[in-house]
Amino acid sequence: MKLFERFHKLLSSLFTTTRTLLQPSHSSGEIKVQPSSYVFPAESEPHEATIMGLPSRCSLPPDQYDTVCNELAQLAATVTEFEPVRLYVRPEEIQLAESLVKTFVKDTSKISIIPCPINHCWVRDTGPVYVRDPTDASPNQRFAINFRFNEWGGKQPEDDGICWGQRWPVMNEKRLQENTDFARWVIEHDCEPSPVTQVQTSIRAEGGGLVTDGEGTLLITESSIICDVRNPGVSKDEIEAELTRLLGVEKVIWFPGRRNVDITDVHMDAEARFVRPGVIAYSKPHAISPNLWKELSTEILEILDRETDAKGRRLQIHTIEEPDPRGLVKSDHDELSASYVNFYFVNGGLIVPKFGDVERDQTALAMFQQLLPEREIRQVYVNAIPLTGGVLHCVTQQVPALT
């Protein structure tokens, strides 16, 4: 999610650094030993379901709320054509969720509305990250990491709530704690097709910052994880060792990124994504983008050009230019998150954003159709979601199917 730098206020945060390797079994209460390391499956592997969330009214500018919810519902409807959707909704918004589902979803049996204390729709960052036991010793046991989300390092709108010409609510401490607890809540209540064991970790991260190929390669920015507002006193080597344990990666490709250039401190899921192992879709900023973003993006491309993946392959890079924002924003104060590489894999398909720049929307569609001829490529129009900070990958989270 690319948000303008005025949208940050660093808050101090305390968190535990314990690493728990013993967890009670949900089914019997007995203690089972977790594996010492895990594997983060490629997002293109089969899914049990997709997690999405309907935002609370305190998480978005009031004049954007209804449109964001409509766009989320249309995205959910498209996902249900490929796999089930689990839609997490605050109890007070259940009626709204039911109305949206009735309006947009053809087969309502493919979507479950789950009452939950949720605020952000950015479930990629707030939700659990599902991983597997690489040994297959417990084929029916499921695992998910709780990274204990802390508002991207304690960021909140300024006290007056005015950013980019829009008025943003300021969440109270109870709502902020709900955001931190969201991943744990989802893990504890996910029992289909079997209970999930929570994987504890000593570091904080967000799912949007973790771009993997499923074959041992991780792309990540230093700015989004090596920082005192997320991981005080934790070194790069320590973070890399923990990511290796959690995700089963063999090679981490680091990018400097930039602190405070956006709310995420530069998540890789808006910059470069694996289409398949060894093949990357890279997002090039539009010609009128700020120079800082052009410099950052060029830096990412230079690193990708000289790197190899965990298997020693040179990376094949396919560039797609971001849309022209001038016809897509409502005012000069708006900041638009408009990356085509923020796509979402579904079973048998790929969902790509459509922003309203006809030429570039068509170019993006053609590129992904060429790269993934075995998949059905669909586009979903979004505008309010990008104006409030993200695109398709940011508002979805895959639940991997059991192997």
Side-chain angles (χ1 to χ4, degrees):
M1 296 181 294
K2 292 181 180 178
L3 294 181
F4 205 64
E5 61 183 350
R6 281 178 289 175
F7 187 44
H8 71 85
K9 182 181 183 181
L10 302 183
L11 305 177
S12 60
S13 61
L14 299 174
F15 62 95
T16 59
T17 58
T18 58
R19 180 180 303 169
T20 304
L21 296 182
L22 295 178
Q23 291 288 335
S25 165
H26 290 261
S27 57
S28 64
E30 64 179 302
I31 298 297
K32 289 188 177 181
V33 178
Q34 290 187 35
S36 58
S37 62
Y38 306 85
V39 169
F40 185 23
E43 295 181 27
S44 56
E45 291 190 25
H47 301 172
E48 182 70 30
T50 290
I51 289 173
M52 295 186 65
L54 198 70
S56 71
R57 294 181 184 272
C58 71
S59 68
L60 294 172
D63 61 349
Q64 295 282 20
Y65 183 81
D66 290 339
T67 310
V68 167
C69 289
N70 284 341
E71 291 181 1
L72 288 168
Q74 292 174 69
L75 172 59
T78 303
V79 175
T80 62
E81 296 180 29
F82 298 88
E83 61 191 61
V85 170
R86 300 173 182 177
L87 182 63
Y88 291 87
V89 181
R90 293 192 74 85
E92 60 266 32
E93 302 298 345
I94 293 293
Q95 186 174 355
L96 171 61
E98 291 174 341
S99 175
L100 289 169
V101 168
K102 183 178 179 181
T103 300
F104 293 107
V105 180
K106 293 178 182 178
D107 183 356
T108 58
S109 69
K110 297 290 292 295
I111 188 164
S112 302
I113 296 175
I114 304 170
C116 172
I118 185 173
N119 293 294
H120 290 302
C121 61
W122 317 115
V123 296
R124 176 65 51 178
D125 292 346
T126 64
V129 174
Y130 286 80
V131 290
R132 290 183 179 144
D133 174 1
T135 68
D136 289 328
S138 305
N140 294 320
Q141 191 171 5
R142 302 163 66 219
F143 300 93
I145 306 165
N146 176 8
F147 279 114
R148 296 165 298 113
F149 176 75
N150 74 336
E151 306 298 319
W152 304 279
K155 297 185 182 69
Q156 277 268 75
E158 300 296 340
D159 290 341
D160 62 6
I162 300 294
C163 299
W164 331 289
Q166 302 182 79
R167 180 175 295 278
W168 291 74
V170 178
M171 293 191 197
N172 59 31
E173 290 299 320
K174 179 182 177 182
R175 294 300 181 100
L176 295 174
Q177 188 61 50
E178 289 174 343
N179 298 341
T180 298
D181 293 340
F182 176 69
R184 177 185 58 77
W185 194 100
V186 171
I187 292 169
E188 290 178 353
H189 291 80
D190 181 359
C191 296
E192 294 294 336
S194 63
V196 180
T197 298
Q198 180 173 234
V199 177
Q200 305 283 8
T201 177
S202 57
I203 63 174
R204 289 190 194 263
E206 299 96 33
L210 311 172
V211 171
T212 66
D213 64 354
E215 291 190 0
T217 310
L218 170 68
L219 312 181
I220 191 169
T221 60
E222 296 181 22
S223 55
S224 69
I225 193 168
I226 305 173
C227 50
D228 285 344
V229 291
R230 288 179 178 86
N231 298 301
V234 186
S235 70
K236 180 178 179 179
D237 288 344
E238 290 170 327
I239 287 173
E240 182 165 327
E242 180 67 345
L243 290 173
T244 299
R245 179 184 82 89
L246 294 171
L247 306 176
V249 297
E250 301 165 15
K251 180 172 184 177
V252 181
I253 301 178
W254 289 98
F255 304 84
R258 297 290 189 281
R259 290 279 296 125
N260 295 325
V261 71
D262 71 345
I263 195 173
T264 72
D265 303 311
V266 187
H267 276 177
M268 280 303 297
D269 70 345
E271 309 304 323
R273 298 276 308 287
F274 286 101
V275 175
R276 62 170 58 88
V279 181
I280 284 179
Y282 157 77
S283 185
K284 180 181 178 180
H286 189 270
I288 68 166
S289 297
N291 287 335
L292 179 58
W293 279 110
K294 293 178 187 175
E295 294 168 6
L296 189 155
S297 185
T298 299
E299 184 177 76
I300 289 171
L301 181 59
E302 290 173 350
I303 293 172
L304 290 172
D305 275 338
R306 65 173 182 256
E307 280 287 357
T308 58
D309 66 12
K311 305 300 182 185
R313 294 171 292 215
R314 293 296 299 268
L315 298 170
Q316 182 185 125
I317 302 166
H318 296 267
T319 300
I320 181 67
E321 187 178 22
E322 296 175 4
D324 186 340
R326 285 171 290 194
L328 310 179
V329 296
K330 295 178 172 60
S331 77
D332 292 339
H333 300 289
D334 289 337
E335 178 79 1
L336 189 76
S337 299
S339 169
Y340 290 105
V341 308
N342 201 264
F343 52 73
Y344 181 62
F345 278 105
V346 286
N347 293 336
L350 182 78
I351 305 177
V352 181
K354 177 191 291 186
F355 298 106
D357 179 333
V358 176
E359 179 181 352
R360 288 177 179 81
D361 287 346
Q362 287 297 321
T363 299
L365 178 62
M367 187 187 84
F368 288 113
Q369 286 175 330
Q370 181 179 11
L371 291 175
L372 294 164
E374 73 281 8
R375 288 181 176 265
E376 182 178 348
I377 312 298
R378 300 285 295 277
Q379 281 191 307
V380 172
Y381 174 76
V382 284
N383 179 259
I385 293 174
L387 284 172
T388 54
V391 202
L392 307 188
H393 192 251
C394 301
V395 296
T396 51
Q397 178 68 264
Q398 69 278 359
V399 180
L402 286 172
T403 54

